[in-house]
Each structure stands twice: as structure tokens, then as C-alpha cells.
Amino acid sequence: MSTFSMLAAEGEDINPLLPETYDIVWSVVCIAIIGVIFYKYVIPRLIKVLDERTDKIEGGLQRAEAAQEEAQLTLQQYQQQLADARLEAARIREDARAQGQQILAQMRAEAQAESDRIVAAGQSQLEAQRQQILTELRAEVGRTAVDLAEKIIGQSVSDEAKQAASIDQFLSELDQSNVGIGVGR
């Protein structure tokens, strides 16, 4: 017979919800053994796993922060290098512009000097030609004057000294009359 039926036979009032004392004792012993096993083995492992997970999360956060700081530092370095490169490019452009202006000024000066040299050479050549033409013209005018004088006088003017003096006098009078008129030089 069961305990319930024995107690019922004895006439005691039995509460069906309340277990027997030996059941409570064995249940407490089992719970204590399970509690000790959990306390000794399961909880330390669980704490270890949770600590590892916490370390991983914190380490991951620290690594992410470090990576973010490194990325920020790299970005700042890149921006600084970019700014430096822009400044260098502006300086190079300005140097090139200044060199270009200097080259243009030098070329203009050389062109002006060459132009002045060509004009001076042309003027000296014109002056030489003018002198040559004047010399030829004086000789021709002298011969013509001697021929005219011989025709007017009717005799030969053979004295060269007189002839040269007459030619020079005639040419100087001619030069003076040309200066008065505005012809010549």
C-alpha cells in the first residue's frame, strides 16, 4: 500500500499538496549536489565565457576606437599633404609665371637691341651711300662745271688747282643754297 493510503487508513488528515519528509530531504540533497556542481564547474565556466565575451567586446571596441583614431590621423595627414601639395603647386605656378614674364622681358629687350642694331646699321649704310653719292655727284658736278666754264669762257681750264678751287667754291655755294631751300640733309 501506499503511504497515502496508510495515512488515510489511520485517519489523519493528509494534505495531498505537501510531499513526504523523505522526499523533501532527498530533494534538498539533490539540489545541494546540483548547486555545488553548478557553483564549482558551471558558474566559473559561465563567468569565464562571459569575461571572454566582455574582453572581446571591449577589445573590439578598443580596436575600433584605435582604428578610428588611426583613420582620423591618416585623414589629417592626407589633408595636410594635400594642402602642402596645393601650396607647392601654387608656388610652382607662380615661379613659372615669373620665369615666363622674365623670359618675355628678356626677349623684348633682345628684340629691341636687335632692332636698334639693325636701324643703326641701316642709318650708317644710308650715310655711307649718301657720302658716296655726294662724292660721285661732286665729281660729276665738277666735270660738268669745268665743261660749262670752258664753253662759256671759250678756253680750256686746264689748271687742276684752279679747277679744284672753282669746283669747291661752286659746290659750297650750291650747298648753301640747298640749305636755304630745305633740300639735302
Side-chain angles (χ1 to χ4, degrees):
M1 277 197 17
S2 76
T3 326
F4 182 68
S5 50
M6 281 196 228
L7 287 177
E10 291 179 6
E12 285 185 29
D13 246 352
I14 299 180
N15 187 355
L17 297 176
L18 190 63
E20 293 292 325
T21 308
Y22 68 90
D23 284 335
I24 293 175
V25 171
W26 283 112
S27 295
V28 169
V29 170
C30 288
I31 288 177
I33 292 172
I34 291 173
V36 169
I37 291 172
F38 261 87
Y39 186 73
K40 283 261 194 195
Y41 299 106
V42 175
I43 291 179
R45 285 187 181 177
L46 183 62
I47 290 173
K48 183 180 175 185
V49 168
L50 289 176
D51 287 343
E52 287 175 1
R53 190 174 274 177
T54 302
D55 288 343
K56 282 183 181 180
I57 290 171
E58 287 177 359
L61 289 174
Q62 289 173 352
R63 285 190 303 273
E65 288 174 2
Q68 187 175 5
E69 288 175 8
E70 184 178 337
Q72 188 67 26
L73 181 63
T74 304
L75 178 63
Q76 289 174 351
Q77 289 174 348
Y78 170 74
Q79 289 173 342
Q80 182 63 37
Q81 289 174 349
L82 185 61
D84 292 344
R86 285 182 180 153
L87 287 174
E88 182 69 15
R91 186 188 61 77
I92 289 171
R93 277 193 308 269
E94 192 59 37
D95 288 348
R97 186 175 295 120
Q99 286 177 352
Q101 290 174 350
Q102 184 180 11
I103 289 170
L104 281 175
Q106 183 180 2
M107 290 178 74
R108 284 183 184 141
E110 289 174 2
Q112 184 64 38
E114 183 67 17
S115 172
D116 292 346
R117 186 190 64 78
I118 290 171
V119 167
Q123 285 177 347
S124 66
Q125 186 179 9
L126 283 175
E127 186 61 32
Q129 287 176 353
R130 182 176 177 271
Q131 289 299 325
Q132 181 183 3
I133 290 172
L134 280 176
T135 305
E136 290 174 3
L137 190 59
R138 282 180 188 249
E140 185 68 33
V141 167
R143 281 191 297 273
T144 306
V146 169
D147 289 344
L148 283 176
E150 285 179 353
K151 286 182 183 178
I152 291 174
I153 296 176
Q155 54 178 301
S156 163
V157 184
S158 55
D159 186 13
E160 288 188 23
K162 286 183 181 178
Q163 187 179 11
S166 298
I167 292 172
D168 286 338
Q169 181 183 1
F170 177 73
L171 289 177
S172 65
E173 288 174 4
L174 185 64
D175 279 341
Q176 287 175 358
S177 66
N178 281 343
V179 170
I181 297 173
V183 178
R185 301 178 193 179

